[in-house]
């Protein structure tokens, strides 16, 4: 595990400042946070956390991406989410002493920013402003989970897929990527995340192409008209 100062502390400060949870913090607070985190680099397919393993760090994806995968009782994998730069996880589990509910696996060479439990307790919780932002992170995670359950129950596949693509695009933009291309992404991954068959995803993507909202390539999707997708998602909110 490498200390953040060995990479580029100024770059980490800028990165944290672009993220929604920390956008209200002063430069001084961001500098304080950057001094507490450590960087861990992982190779493609390297496991960060195993399902059932105790969570000991609050983690923010720095670069690359991770797959959040859950194993069924029969040993089958189900992709629950793709974690791109700016995504964070582990805060609630670490505070409550809970285990990871999924495997977190690097999808390509990647790195994460990590804050361990002791540092969080001894340093961050003594800072009221940062503590308040942590409370906001947990509250938003609960709210988002509730919304996801509602969406799975009541929204069409077209709306759910449009929402997923827009969220992936928002995640990339939050990490400083100005392009509209999502990569790598596969029909199989999207099917698992939306909770439908691969054939259904292929059919819906074909509909999106006919409307000239997207263009597809090898393991990539270009959102050529995000506003078109927004017409399917009336209550879409930015991350």
């Amino acid at each position: 595990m490498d200390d953040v100062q060995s990479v580029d502390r100024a770059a980490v400060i800028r990165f944290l400042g672009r993220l929604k949870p920390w956008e209200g913090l002063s430069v001084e607070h961001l500098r304080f946070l950057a001094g507490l985190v450590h960087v861990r680099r992982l190779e493609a397919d390297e496991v960060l956390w195993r399902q059932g393993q105790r969570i000991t760090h609050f983690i923010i994806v720095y670069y690359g991406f991770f797959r959040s995968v859950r194993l069924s009782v029969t040993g089958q994998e189900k992709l629950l989410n793709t974690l791109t730069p700016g995504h964070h996880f582990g805060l609630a589990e670490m505070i409550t002493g809970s285990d990871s509910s999924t495997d977190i696996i690097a999808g390509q060479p990647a790195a994460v920013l990590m804050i361990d439990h002791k540092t969080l307790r001894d340093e961050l919780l003594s800072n009221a402003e940062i503590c308040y932002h942590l409370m906001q992170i947990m509250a938003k995670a609960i709210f988002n989970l509730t919304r996801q359950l509602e969406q799975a129950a009541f929204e069409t596949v077209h709306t759910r897929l449009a929402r997923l693509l827009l969220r992936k695009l928002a995640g990339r933009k939050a990490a400083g990527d100005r392009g509209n291309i999502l990569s790598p992404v596969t029909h199989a991954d999207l099917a698992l995340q939306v909770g439908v068959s691969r054939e259904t995803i292929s059919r819906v993507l074909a509909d999106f192409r006919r409307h000239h909202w997207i263009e597809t390539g090898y393991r990539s999707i270009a959102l050529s008209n995000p506003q078109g997708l927004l017409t399917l998602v009336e209550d879409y909110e930015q991350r």
Side-chain angles (χ1 to χ4, degrees), residues 183-200:
S183 177
V185 61
T186 67
H187 291 199
D189 289 347
L190 294 174
L192 288 170
Q193 292 177 71
V194 175
V196 297
S197 69
R198 179 176 176 176
E199 291 73 20
T200 298

Side-chain angles (χ1 to χ4, degrees), residues 48-102:
L48 178 60
W49 293 114
R50 285 290 186 190
Q51 183 174 333
Q53 182 180 355
R54 182 61 53 90
I55 296 290
T56 58
H57 290 74
F58 174 48
I59 294 171
I60 304 171
V61 180
Y62 188 36
Y63 64 75
F65 77 95
F66 292 80
R67 302 190 307 273
S68 176
V69 177
R70 179 173 295 170
L71 294 177
S72 69
V73 292
T74 59
Q76 294 182 318
E77 288 189 352
K78 179 174 182 180
L79 179 67
L80 300 182
N81 198 8
T82 300
L83 307 173
T84 54
H87 276 87
H88 54 80
F89 56 95
L91 180 60
E93 292 87 346
M94 184 177 64
I95 291 176
T96 59
S98 302
D99 298 335
S100 175
S101 60
T102 66

Side-chain angles (χ1 to χ4, degrees), residues 4-215:
V4 68
Q5 294 181 355
S6 67
V7 284
D8 188 340
R9 183 171 179 174
V12 172
I13 293 172
R14 291 193 299 269
F15 174 79
L16 292 173
R18 291 196 300 265
L19 303 183
K20 284 285 185 180
W22 314 113
E23 63 181 2
L25 291 179
S26 66
V27 174
E28 181 181 353
H29 282 128
L30 291 172
R31 188 177 294 113
F32 174 72
L33 276 174
L36 297 179
V37 302
H38 289 77
V39 175
R40 178 177 173 185
R41 300 181 180 87
L42 299 96
E43 298 299 325
D45 298 321
E46 187 175 348
V47 177
L48 178 60
W49 293 114
R50 285 290 186 190
Q51 183 174 333
Q53 182 180 355
R54 182 61 53 90
I55 296 290
T56 58
H57 290 74
F58 174 48
I59 294 171
I60 304 171
V61 180
Y62 188 36
Y63 64 75
F65 77 95
F66 292 80
R67 302 190 307 273
S68 176
V69 177
R70 179 173 295 170
L71 294 177
S72 69
V73 292
T74 59
Q76 294 182 318
E77 288 189 352
K78 179 174 182 180
L79 179 67
L80 300 182
N81 198 8
T82 300
L83 307 173
T84 54
H87 276 87
H88 54 80
F89 56 95
L91 180 60
E93 292 87 346
M94 184 177 64
I95 291 176
T96 59
S98 302
D99 298 335
S100 175
S101 60
T102 66
D103 286 350
I104 306 294
I105 306 170
Q108 62 182 114
V112 294
L113 306 180
M114 309 178 71
I115 303 179
D116 65 82
H117 191 190
K118 185 177 186 304
T119 298
L120 182 80
R121 183 183 65 248
D122 295 347
E123 301 291 341
L124 296 189
L125 296 186
S126 63
N127 188 307
E129 186 69 20
I130 296 179
C131 186
Y132 178 72
H133 277 75
L134 290 174
M135 291 172 61
Q136 287 183 314
I137 290 174
M138 294 182 67
K140 187 170 184 178
I142 295 171
F143 176 77
N144 286 341
L145 179 58
T146 302
R147 291 290 299 276
Q148 289 170 14
L149 292 173
E150 293 174 349
Q151 291 156 9
F154 299 112
E155 289 185 342
T156 67
V157 176
H158 282 69
T159 297
R160 284 152 56 193
L161 181 56
R163 186 186 300 276
L164 176 63
L165 295 177
L166 289 167
R167 281 180 174 163
K168 287 180 177 294
L169 180 63
R172 289 184 178 276
K173 289 187 178 298
D177 186 346
R178 297 185 178 182
N180 282 357
I181 298 177
L182 305 178
S183 177
V185 61
T186 67
H187 291 199
D189 289 347
L190 294 174
L192 288 170
Q193 292 177 71
V194 175
V196 297
S197 69
R198 179 176 176 176
E199 291 73 20
T200 298
I201 291 295
S202 297
R203 186 167 61 252
V204 175
L205 289 175
D207 288 343
F208 290 174
R209 283 198 303 271
R210 280 193 291 271
H211 284 88
H212 305 290
W213 294 340
I214 67 168
E215 298 175 5

